[in-house]
Amino acid sequence: MTTQTAIKANRMPAITWHKFKGNEAEIELPALAAHDAGAVAFTVPPALMFMETTINGDVALDAGTAPVKEAFDEALAAAPEGLQQWETGMGEAADAWLDAAAKRRLAVLVPEGHTEENTLVIRIQAQDGAAAVAAVDLVAQAHSRLKVALHVDSPTAGSGVAGSRVRVFVGEGARVEFASVQTLDATWQHLDNIGAYVADSGRFIAEQTVLGAAESYTGFASNVAGREADTTVDTRYLGHGANKIDFNYVIRQRGVQSTCTLTANGVLMDSSAKVLRGTIDLIHGAKGAVGKENETVLLVNEDVRNKTIPVILCDEDDVQGAHGATIGHVNPEQLGYMKTRGLSAEQVEDLFAVATFDYAASHAFDASVRAAVERLGTRVLGDAYELLQEGE
Amino acid sequence: MADALLAVQGLSASAGEKAILHGIDLEVNKGEIHVLMGPNGAGKSTLGHVLMGNPAFTVTGGSIKLDGADITEDDVDKRSKAGLFISFQAPVEVPGVPLNSFLRAIVAQHEELDLKGKKYKKRVAEIMAQLDMDEAYLNRELNVGFSGGEKKKVEMLQLLLLQPKLAILDETDSGLDVDALNVVSKAMAAYREECDGTILIITHNTRILEHLPVDRTHVMVKGKLVAEGDASLITKIDAEGFEQFGHVEETEVLRSEDDPFGGFNVEDVLADAEAALREADAKRASESGEANEAGAAE
């Protein structure tokens, strides 16, 4: 059970003028019941060790429980600035709220050198009047591989909050691929809070797709601490109706020759509003580090509101930081090309909205996600989407 | 000719104030293959784009008829729906739009194809097999990260899917290796076989023409059609070059000659046009200022 509250979240590390109203998000959260057993489900691939907390607070044990705990302790020791003061993108207040609301917890250990490409699946289904929240901690030990798929959906009508707090430790030479898709209908709030630590030569690759919800808040922080460590983020979003989308990316590049690529592509329709704060912090000592970010926003209607706030912080001489943004209508070359195939300018812009759903559907990690994307696509775009899907 | 599929009469066009095409007369009958050749910068690609309705150019005279209908004033998308197609030298990349979404959307605009749902999927699969393309391409973003050869295959995929009345193939062979060239040649043959397609090939390379039954060859120099003949003209050009048609070295090059695609670049042309417009504006402002000053003096 949570009480009605208002929290500030997604605050930029280096704030700008308050009059722009973009430094942080203010989230009004209603009083909500705790979710029941069906709201959060985990599917852990074989050979991974995990600890799972059931809805009743019991700890479901598997054979690897003790090693998981030991591994987390080791990770804490190996990454003092990472785990003990774990920075997440949404910030402390949201982190605490999510932590309190989470009734299902999962801790997973990928053993050293484990490279089987099975996917850990996390499903969160919104429940009317409840906070459906999962808290997940992942440790990928040295030279291991892990794929994670997170789906936040609202299969039934109602209102409430659905979301997650995920912390990821990427060990030396390890690679974690994290793909999330959010397909909430327009009556829900979505909170998505991620914190990562990336050790030497580790790679954390995140693909985030935000398609729905009345309000969607994504906070993403990565401590790219190791030498030649990397964090790559590819975000896609669609604003429609009157929904609000709020992103905060904070990439701390501490590692020598560490790299970061932050890419976002979005379409804003109707009277939707979106803020994307992208901060790449090139910290003293990160010699040879390269951080770049780029956002492309297609504004379909005149009533949309877009704020793109790229920030490169730099306290090291020998680094490269770059940012770019393209905001507006379809560029003339693309428009010209597509018109030669029979599409009008209006149809080209509509195509970008359809394509956002299509891309998510075609890259969905299973049939249920694809079905959820198509359900939402049909609700948002109506016949235009349904007819195109006909017979598929 | 009354039954010409494409009838171009006295067509002149400019980019800004810069005249590029001068009084072009061209007729292409249904089912024929025509070749438009000429040195770099002659205006070949410009003609292709003017026929397609590229708004970078202004038609300053003449007319374009497709299948008897005057399309000179029509917008680009309307010309496509009327049955005109152009394949691009360097197709643009469109992040955010999977190839499959794009193909479905363009097919939906050509209702006469009646390709919905399963029919669409079946047809796309057939064509991709013809072109030796993996269906995984469908989920990739349109042309993003595609090699030059892959992009040309996507152009051919669209050609075979849309089955236009007339296909303008603009330097489709440029930058292709032998294998890719064979695939493109096969696609052109399939287009002709499946829908009695009509083709206007723009090229300055005769290799792609080796296995095609060319009906007519046209030569363009400095924005004018300076010669016309049957397929034997290609052999003559191969042997003697374009110099036989005039002072080629003076041909106005609209694009850097070291560009492998050669012959056309909208940005260059627009830049020239914008410069000309700025010059004209400045001149007008100067004249207006002089007039005002003169008025004030009075």
Side-chain angles (χ1 to χ4, degrees), chain A residues 91-141:
Chain A
E92 290 178 10
D95 200 58
W97 190 92
L98 287 163
D99 195 53
K103 300 304 171 197
R104 292 293 307 280
R105 293 169 181 277
L106 178 72
V108 173
L109 172 73
V110 188
E112 183 172 344
H114 179 88
T115 55
E116 281 180 35
E117 297 235 328
N118 295 321
T119 302
L120 164 66
V121 180
I122 305 162
R123 294 182 202 279
I124 299 165
Q125 298 194 335
Q127 290 186 336
D128 188 27
V133 176
V136 178
D137 288 334
L138 308 169
V139 171
Q141 288 190 314

Side-chain angles (χ1 to χ4, degrees), chain B residues 63-77:
Chain B
S63 66
I64 307 165
K65 286 185 179 173
L66 182 70
D67 216 2
D70 192 327
I71 60 168
T72 317
E73 302 295 325
D74 288 352
D75 201 358
V76 182
D77 51 316

Side-chain angles (χ1 to χ4, degrees), chain A residues 367-379:
Chain A
S368 72
V369 178
R370 182 182 171 105
V373 170
E374 290 176 355
R375 179 208 74 222
L376 187 61
T378 302
R379 285 187 192 170

Side-chain angles (χ1 to χ4, degrees), chain A residues 236 333-334 337-344 347 351-352 354-355 358-359 362-363 388-392, chain B residues 75 77 80-81 86 92-96 101-102 104 106 109-110 117-118 121 139 141 155 158 267:
Chain A
R236 290 162 197 270
E333 274 195 1
Q334 293 173 337
Y337 179 76
M338 292 195 270
K339 284 182 78 172
T340 65
R341 303 306 186 239
L343 299 172
S344 66
Q347 287 166 334
L351 172 60
F352 275 84
V354 170
D358 277 350
Y359 187 90
S362 64
H363 289 74
L388 284 173
Q389 302 298 318
E390 196 177 82
E392 287 273 299
Chain B
D75 201 358
D77 51 316
S80 168
K81 287 178 184 171
I86 187 168
V92 296
E93 298 189 355
V94 187
S101 308
F102 178 63
R104 276 190 332 212
I106 64 175
Q109 296 310 310
H110 295 262
K118 287 176 181 167
K121 285 188 80 172
N139 291 335
E141 294 167 294
E155 294 292 281
Q158 294 173 59
E267 287 178 4

Side-chain angles (χ1 to χ4, degrees), chain A residues 296-309:
Chain A
T296 302
V297 192
L298 176 63
L299 310 178
V300 175
N301 298 95
E302 298 302 320
D303 294 336
V304 301
R305 285 166 292 154
N306 175 66
K307 289 177 187 169
T308 295
I309 314 172

